[in-house]
Amino acid sequence: MSRYIVRMPGPRFTLDRSSPVPLYFQVAEQFEHAILSGEIAPGERIDNEIALAKDLGLSRPTMRQAIQVLVDKGMLVRKRGVGTQVVHGKIRRSVELTSLFDDLSAAGQKPRTEVLAVGKVAAEEDVAHELQLSIGDDVWSLERLRFVGKQPLAVMHNFIPLDVVDLDAVDLETVGLYAHMRTSGILMRVARQRIGARGAGAEEAALLGEKKGSPLLTMQRTAYDNAGRAVEYGRHAYRPDLYAFELTLVDR
Amino acid sequence: MSRYIVRMPGPRFTLDRSSPVPLYFQVAEQFEHAILSGEIAPGERIDNEIALAKDLGLSRPTMRQAIQVLVDKGMLVRKRGVGTQVVHGKIRRSVELTSLFDDLSAAGQKPRTEVLAVGKVAAEEDVAHELQLSIGDDVWSLERLRFVGKQPLAVMHNFIPLDVVDLDAVDLETVGLYAHMRTSGILMRVARQRIGARGAGAEEAALLGEKKGSPLLTMQRTAYDNAGRAVEYGRHAYRPDLYAFELTLVDR
DNA sequence: GTCAACCCTTTGTCCTGACATATTGACGTC
DNA sequence: GACGTCAATATGTCAGGACAAAGGGTTGAC
């Protein structure tokens, strides 16, 4: 049945049919772990879908769905008539709908946030346009300075429509804006980002401990909720010696 | 059956079952067109999967697969128990496995390329590491300067293993590196990118018409083929006033 | 010995059917 | 009138089967 390098998950994979976690997801998780741990090496082929499904007592569509999850992540590649094989193990987490705070926390670092200013301001043209409001409408404005250790990392400026959340009663130095929005029931599903670069302004430079005109990495992001409503617009500037955007692209 | 805003594609959607194009893809294309043209506006709900499937004479799994394509693109959002609705129409094409040349061509602009240097060089540490080679191994090195109109836009430096393609016989000023690799049978499926910023070096600055130390947007990319083999590593620098990376994120 | 035709393997697509679960709105009770 | 319950609705998950198409290897003819 198998010819060259083929891995049979066999009894190492366990399924819990009483768990609320979908079967395809359970399989995908265990496959991902096996790949990340090096148990299945890059270049290796895995067994074909039908054999895997039979092995695990699943239907082929469910097995396919499990594999699809990892194909979407860029860990597996399918070739018709040939098989499915591991592309590479170490996937740097692709860009996701999380904040820098989440990024750094996950990396085991200790981020610190200093709120520079928070309050209501009249929306300028670009803010109004991105948030689907009229120029002059009041919006929340939030300016923060982010540190890693003792080093200033980023200046972040967010704008949020008043009816989305209330920022007055929140301690944004400890909670994190995105976490607060999530607990407020705001689900962000889609976001558009624009990543660029420019020279630092005088104020930014002072905050970040750089010189005026020194290069900064910039990111603008507009996030939308379930209903397609713009719920957040942010303009951020990062010190390029401390931060970069990493992403994994998958051709589909 | 429908309550508020619901769109029934009905007879406007046509299917060609004799076409080699998969049915789910045909449906997805027509839905995408209807959304992009504004025929179905952001916020509107579309009919439920079962009704749509019945309407088009398809099974529900096929209909689901069609919708899934657009969900992955960030154009549609599903909510269990509620329905599926349009998030927003104008999706800026997410970052894909294409080159800057493709980007600009698609935008209707006329890019021009000047090959600064092409030849074999010994791989330095980072190049060898990214391309899974040993330090000192020969690799293709390709340096190009990209223009939009008469303005220099980017300095691009690519490294390619010798056994992947032959760059000697190619006119890389007209063809484009990625196009050449594709026609050579190299299929790039996964790539890892790192986007950052830094000040321009003296040489770069002169090429790009900027001053030494002025901010540049940088991108490093390693591309892998079907078999997980690293086939290209590139270090590029862009003028930030002329170029930025735009991408659409979808939470899944 | 070279090259074309054929066959086998594996994924791609599509179908029918079923049950689970989240959400909403309507109904009924207190 | 407020609140909890229940039913309707729509997506989420899973099963099992069938045929198509592509890739790779083998076989056979020339």
Side-chain angles (χ1 to χ4, degrees):
Chain A
M1 171 194 280
S2 327
R3 303 186 59 85
Y4 294 117
I5 318 165
V6 174
R7 300 295 298 225
M8 190 77 106
R12 291 198 308 281
F13 280 51
T14 57
L15 294 180
D16 179 3
R17 295 188 95 95
S18 67
S19 163
V21 179
L23 293 174
Y24 76 88
F25 197 80
Q26 292 185 37
V27 177
E29 274 185 321
Q30 294 182 59
F31 252 115
E32 179 167 6
H33 183 264
I35 294 170
L36 291 176
S37 72
E39 199 175 335
I40 313 180
E44 272 189 281
R45 282 212 311 275
I46 63 175
D47 255 345
N48 70 63
E49 298 171 350
I50 300 186
L52 284 172
K54 188 183 172 189
D55 248 34
L56 296 170
L58 295 171
S59 69
R60 190 184 158 210
T62 302
M63 195 61 231
R64 258 185 87 73
Q65 196 175 0
I67 293 175
Q68 188 63 45
V69 172
L70 301 183
V71 170
D72 287 342
K73 283 193 180 182
M75 306 182 79
L76 295 179
V77 170
R78 291 202 254 233
K79 278 189 282 188
R80 187 195 303 208
V82 180
T84 303
Q85 59 181 271
V86 179
V87 184
H88 46 249
K90 43 175 179 178
I91 285 287
R92 287 174 188 155
R93 191 181 95 322
S94 145
V95 180
E96 286 171 9
L97 266 174
T98 53
S99 65
L100 179 59
F101 192 90
D102 298 327
D103 288 355
L104 296 175
S105 300
Q109 309 209 40
K110 290 171 192 170
R112 187 168 61 83
T113 303
E114 190 178 311
V115 173
L116 301 175
V118 54
K120 300 174 183 176
V121 302
E124 298 168 21
E125 184 177 353
D126 64 328
V127 175
H129 180 257
E130 290 293 334
L131 293 180
Q132 304 163 356
L133 300 172
S134 302
I135 296 177
D137 284 357
D138 265 10
V139 295
W140 287 110
S141 167
L142 170 63
E143 291 182 69
R144 291 172 297 171
L145 186 58
R146 188 82 79 189
F147 293 83
V148 203
K150 293 183 180 179
Q151 292 215 292
L153 171 67
V155 186
M156 316 182 71
H157 197 166
N158 295 84
F159 300 91
I160 301 169
L162 296 185
D163 55 348
V164 171
V165 284
D166 187 7
L167 295 188
D168 256 339
V170 196
D171 180 8
L172 287 163
E173 301 212 337
T174 57
V175 177
L177 175 61
Y178 276 41
H180 173 56
M181 292 178 69
R182 273 195 294 269
T183 55
S184 301
I186 304 297
L187 283 177
M188 287 168 289
R189 295 295 284 270
V190 181
R192 292 195 327 209
Q193 289 194 175
R194 185 183 178 88
I195 301 172
R198 59 173 166 76
E203 202 176 336
E204 287 172 323
L207 288 169
L208 292 173
E210 298 264 356
K211 293 176 186 171
K212 183 167 179 291
S214 68
L216 295 182
L217 183 62
T218 66
M219 190 264 279
Q220 297 165 54
R221 165 153 63 178
T222 308
Y224 302 84
D225 71 357
N226 274 336
R229 178 180 59 151
V231 293
E232 186 248 333
Y233 170 60
R235 293 188 300 223
H236 314 303
Y238 304 84
R239 272 181 57 178
D241 53 335
L242 296 178
Y243 197 72
F245 293 95
E246 296 181 346
L247 48 139
T248 300
L249 305 180
V250 181
D251 191 23
R252 276 186 288 188
Chain B
M1 166 189 269
S2 325
R3 304 185 58 85
Y4 295 117
I5 317 164
V6 174
R7 302 293 300 225
M8 190 77 108
R12 293 197 307 281
F13 280 51
T14 58
L15 294 180
D16 180 2
R17 295 189 96 95
S18 66
S19 162
V21 179
L23 293 176
Y24 76 88
F25 197 80
Q26 292 184 36
V27 176
E29 274 185 323
Q30 294 181 58
F31 252 115
E32 179 167 6
H33 183 264
I35 293 170
L36 290 176
S37 72
E39 199 174 336
I40 313 180
E44 273 189 281
R45 284 213 309 275
I46 64 175
D47 255 346
N48 69 64
E49 297 171 349
I50 300 186
L52 284 172
K54 189 184 173 189
D55 248 35
L56 296 170
L58 296 171
S59 69
R60 190 185 156 208
T62 302
M63 194 62 229
R64 258 184 86 76
Q65 197 174 1
I67 292 175
Q68 188 63 44
V69 172
L70 301 183
V71 170
D72 287 342
K73 283 192 180 183
M75 307 182 80
L76 296 179
V77 169
R78 290 202 254 231
K79 278 189 282 186
R80 187 196 299 208
V82 180
T84 303
Q85 60 181 277
V86 178
V87 184
H88 48 248
K90 43 177 178 179
I91 284 287
R92 286 175 189 156
R93 190 179 99 322
S94 143
V95 180
E96 286 172 8
L97 267 173
T98 54
S99 65
L100 180 58
F101 192 90
D102 299 326
D103 288 354
L104 297 174
S105 300
Q109 307 208 43
K110 290 170 189 168
R112 188 168 60 83
T113 302
E114 192 179 307
V115 173
L116 301 175
V118 55
K120 300 174 186 176
V121 302
E124 299 169 20
E125 184 177 352
D126 63 330
V127 175
H129 180 257
E130 290 295 331
L131 292 179
Q132 305 163 357
L133 301 172
S134 301
I135 297 177
D137 284 357
D138 266 8
V139 293
W140 287 110
S141 167
L142 170 63
E143 291 183 70
R144 291 172 298 171
L145 186 58
R146 188 83 79 187
F147 293 82
V148 203
K150 291 183 177 176
Q151 291 215 292
L153 171 66
V155 188
M156 316 181 70
H157 197 166
N158 297 84
F159 299 92
I160 302 169
L162 296 184
D163 55 349
V164 172
V165 285
D166 187 6
L167 295 188
D168 257 337
V170 195
D171 181 6
L172 288 163
E173 301 212 337
T174 57
V175 177
L177 175 61
Y178 275 41
H180 172 58
M181 291 178 70
R182 275 195 294 270
T183 56
S184 300
I186 304 297
L187 283 178
M188 287 167 291
R189 295 293 284 271
V190 181
R192 294 196 324 210
Q193 289 194 176
R194 186 183 176 90
I195 301 172
R198 59 174 166 76
E203 202 176 334
E204 287 173 322
L207 289 168
L208 292 174
E210 299 262 356
K211 294 176 186 170
K212 182 166 180 293
S214 68
L216 294 182
L217 183 62
T218 65
M219 190 264 280
Q220 296 167 55
R221 164 152 65 180
T222 307
Y224 302 84
D225 71 355
N226 273 336
R229 179 179 58 150
V231 293
E232 185 248 332
Y233 170 59
R235 294 188 299 225
H236 314 305
Y238 305 85
R239 272 181 58 179
D241 54 335
L242 297 177
Y243 196 73
F245 293 95
E246 295 181 346
L247 48 138
T248 299
L249 305 180
V250 182
D251 190 26
R252 277 185 289 189

